[in-house]
Structures are given as C-alpha cells and as structure tokens.
Amino acid sequence: MSGGGRELPPVNCSPAVAANAEGDAIEVLESADILPVAPEDQWKSLFDKYDPESSGFISTERFRDLLATHGSELDPHKLEVLLALADNNADGKICYQDFVNLMSNKRSNSFRRAILQGGRQLKGSALREEVGLGLSQRLVRHVAYETLPREVDRKWYFDSYTSCPPPWLILFITVAEVVVFMYYGFQLDRWVLQVSSPSYLKGPLPYHPQLRSQAWRYLSYAFMHTGIEHLSLNMAMQLLVGVPLEMVHGALRITLIYVCGVLAGSLAVSVTDMTAPVVGSSGGVYALVSAHLANVVMNWSGMKCQFKLFRMAMALVCMSVEFGRAVWLRFYPQAFPPCPNPSFVAHLGGVAVGLTMGVVILQNYEQRLQEQSLFWIFFCVYTLFVLCAVFWNVFAYSLLDVRLPPHP
C-alpha cells in the first residue's frame, strides 16, 4: 500500500445510469492495481458471453458469476465493493457501459446509486478490524476514519490511495509562512507582536488600505503573522486539519477552499473594516476547519473517528482563542497611530466560505463539482461578492470620504 491522492479523468456514465441516478454525482476513481484495462473488443466479447440474448444488459447474478471467475485477480477489498454493487443494484441488471467501468475498476454513478438504494455498509469486516497493516497503511486508515463518514468510501479510499503526490500544498504553505515569519523576526528583532514595529507593514506582503490597488496583497497577506502565538495557532489548525483533508480530497479542492477563504477574508475587511490592515492565514485556515467541522456535524452518526466530540470541542476552543486574540489585538493601543491594528474580520470571511462552498466540496470526497448545482449556486454568490467588493474598493472609499491611515 502506498499513500497520496491523485486527480483522475472521469468517464461518461450510461444513459441508464443517468436516468436512474439518485443522490450526488461522484467523481470517477480509477486504480491500476487490479484487473488490467482491456481493449474495447475484449470487454465486448466478455460481455456478450454473459449476455447471449444480446439485450445490452447482464443480470446481477451473472455479474456475480463473472466476479467469482475473476475473483482471484481482484484485491479483496475491491471484490467486496463490487459484490456489494451486485447485491444492492435495485434494477437487477448492469448495462454494457457500467460493465466496462466496473471491470476496468472505474467507479461510476451506478456504484453510488446501488449503495444509496441498498445497505450503506459493505458486507464483511470493517476497515478498522484489518490486522497486519504497516505504519503507512495505518496512517491512511486513520485519515479515512477522520474524514469520511461511510464505510464503503473508507474502504475504497484505503485501496485507491497512492503515495504520489504527497499532501504538498498545506506543507508548502506552512513552510513558507514559517520562513517569512523567521525573516521578519530577525529583521525586526521581534517575535511577539511584530505589528508594533514601525517597519512591519512596509513590506510587499501585508494588506493595507492605502495599498489596496496592489491586487496581490489580497492574497499575500496570508504569509504574514503578528507574532509567534498567531503563527503557532494557525499552523496547528492548518496541519492537523488541512493535511488529512488534502490527502483525501486532493490539492485542487483544498486549494480552492483555502484561496477562496483568504481572498474573502481580505475583501471582507476592505468592505466592513475599511481603515484596517490585514495579516495572517486565518481566512484560509478557518475556511478549511469550519468546512470540516460542519461536515462532521452533518454526518455525525457515520463519523467513526475516536473522541470526535472532544476533538471537535478542542478545535472550537483553538478557533475561539485565535479569534479572541485577533479581536483583542484590533482594539489594542495602536502600534503607529492613527493606523489601526490588523482586523479580525478576515476570520469571519473564512468561516463564511467554509460553511458554504467548503461544505459542498467536502461533502463527499469523490463528487464531481461541475455536476453539483448547489456548488455552482455558492460559487456564483461568492463571485458576485468578489465583484461587488472590487467595485466597493474602487469607488466607495472616495464616495464615503473615508479617512485612511497614512501610508506605511
């Protein structure tokens, strides 16, 4: 078993599947560690062997016979999944395209429909009861139970997870934040409340209302932190929540949530706290953590992670402490009057992203976002917010005659 997620190309499901699918559409997953992909004519001849009437369908009973024939070539966990499909398929038959998808180990909508219409639990022992696993396998199993609410998804994820690429995104962001903090720590000779240094906001990264025309600052501010306590809390939540989520959902989805949270945080500040600067990765971190916690609450009965109530309480405590620190700092005596201290509103922007788009993206680790209407609703609302915030930044400051703090 190796570790790491990867993005894979989807396949088109059959008309029969499209007509009868219920629940959420899912992303196609593919693995090359079982039955090799055969040429089209080979699959056709095998299908015809089990469909002598040339009806275009084979019964689930015949499909079970086929699995019994090839069972020795299949990974035991994946064999359980395919047998569950045969047992729970409501219409009692499998069309040719579904057959090709399944025998080439391409997981299609027919699988989700079968599990939704039948029992949600696979037959056989739970993944937690597996013995003789190596350290990396136990880690993957632990991550599966931390983030996925259904046993069938956990088993499939456990078998489909590969080690390349590793969860590089969150690790890279965290290392970059540490490097930037160390650089400013040595430059300013200050490790706590760096914001109180006259040179803190003069760099190219922090968001400052006087420099709001420099668009990169709406994102780059995430690499700056006001002190070691600020960085430590964000790092802890970012690594403990972000790394497992990236292992399951992949870098693309986590990037989308994180970047949207960071951008929403700075734009929310520019609209509601117009004179304040912004630093810290709390917008992205809170988007990830709030999306994960909301997903755990929504699937509470299915989540089998240990001490989930205690761990959720600890996550909320960490978020509350960090948010309380930000609120306290905002109203702390100004470092260089009349410029206010960094705003806390970015945290709220991240939470808003996490509870909307983030929940939809993490609702099921294999959903195809382009087929989810709810995701597009939230995405359109988010895009509208970004456009309105841009116009606000262009016109509102002069129309409202806002008195901005001096240039840093």
Side-chain angles (χ1 to χ4, degrees), residues 7 27 168-169 246 249-259 361 369:
E7 296 293 333
E27 181 181 8
W168 59 268
L169 172 69
E246 185 180 352
H249 299 276
L252 181 61
R253 293 167 183 263
I254 300 307
T255 299
L256 180 60
I257 299 175
Y258 195 90
V259 171
I361 293 173
L369 296 182

Side-chain angles (χ1 to χ4, degrees), residues 236-306:
M237 292 187 289
Q238 194 164 269
L239 292 174
L240 292 176
V241 176
V243 171
L245 289 180
E246 185 180 352
M247 289 176 65
V248 172
H249 299 276
L252 181 61
R253 293 167 183 263
I254 300 307
T255 299
L256 180 60
I257 299 175
Y258 195 90
V259 171
C260 286
V262 170
L263 181 58
S266 56
L267 290 176
V269 171
S270 70
V271 172
T272 62
D273 200 1
M274 299 170 67
T275 62
V278 189
V279 293
S281 60
S282 300
V285 173
Y286 274 51
L288 289 178
V289 175
S290 59
H292 175 60
L293 294 182
N295 194 42
V296 171
V297 171
M298 292 169 59
N299 300 280
W300 187 260
S301 61
M303 301 301 296
K304 302 300 182 184
C305 50
Q306 292 183 328

Side-chain angles (χ1 to χ4, degrees), residues 63-215:
F63 182 66
R64 289 181 63 86
D65 293 341
L66 189 151
L67 290 178
T69 303
H70 293 275
S72 60
E73 305 173 52
L74 289 166
D75 181 278
H77 290 301
K78 294 188 174 72
L79 180 59
E80 285 185 17
V81 172
L82 297 180
L83 288 173
L85 172 60
D87 287 338
N88 296 325
N89 199 346
D91 56 15
K93 54 188 178 181
I94 298 173
C95 68
Y96 174 68
Q97 186 58 59
D98 292 340
F99 172 80
V100 173
N101 291 344
L102 291 167
M103 294 308 293
S104 59
N105 198 34
K106 296 177 180 179
R107 190 175 180 185
S108 65
N109 288 342
S110 59
F111 176 85
R112 170 65 59 191
R113 175 166 53 89
I115 297 301
L116 286 176
Q117 293 176 349
R120 287 180 181 265
Q121 299 295 325
L122 288 177
K123 295 181 178 180
S125 61
L127 180 60
R128 192 186 298 277
E129 299 173 6
E130 293 290 332
V131 296
L133 301 180
L135 180 62
S136 62
Q137 291 175 310
R138 291 199 298 271
L139 174 62
V140 173
R141 180 177 64 179
H142 173 76
V143 170
Y145 276 95
E146 287 293 305
T147 55
L148 298 173
R150 301 183 182 95
E151 183 68 17
V152 63
D153 290 329
R154 291 190 284 259
K155 283 193 174 184
W156 191 275
Y157 167 73
F158 180 82
D159 286 302
S160 302
Y161 195 71
T162 60
S163 60
C164 185
W168 59 268
L169 172 69
I170 296 298
L171 296 178
F172 172 80
I173 292 175
T174 304
V175 170
E177 291 170 356
V178 172
V179 169
V180 171
F181 177 77
M182 296 290 291
Y183 171 79
Y184 278 94
F186 285 112
Q187 184 185 64
L188 305 175
D189 193 23
R190 186 182 294 270
W191 303 95
V192 178
L193 286 180
Q194 289 183 347
V195 69
S196 62
S197 172
S199 302
Y200 182 74
L201 294 178
K202 292 183 178 180
L205 299 181
Y207 168 85
H208 191 281
Q210 284 279 19
L211 304 174
R212 65 187 185 281
S213 61
Q214 299 176 358

Side-chain angles (χ1 to χ4, degrees), residues 39-86:
E40 188 73 15
D41 56 349
Q42 180 176 340
W43 289 131
K44 181 62 176 173
S45 61
L46 184 59
F47 185 85
D48 290 342
K49 176 181 177 181
Y50 287 86
D51 180 29
E53 301 87 2
S54 299
S55 63
F57 297 89
I58 60 174
S59 66
T60 53
E61 290 79 7
R62 289 178 176 175
F63 182 66
R64 289 181 63 86
D65 293 341
L66 189 151
L67 290 178
T69 303
H70 293 275
S72 60
E73 305 173 52
L74 289 166
D75 181 278
H77 290 301
K78 294 188 174 72
L79 180 59
E80 285 185 17
V81 172
L82 297 180
L83 288 173
L85 172 60

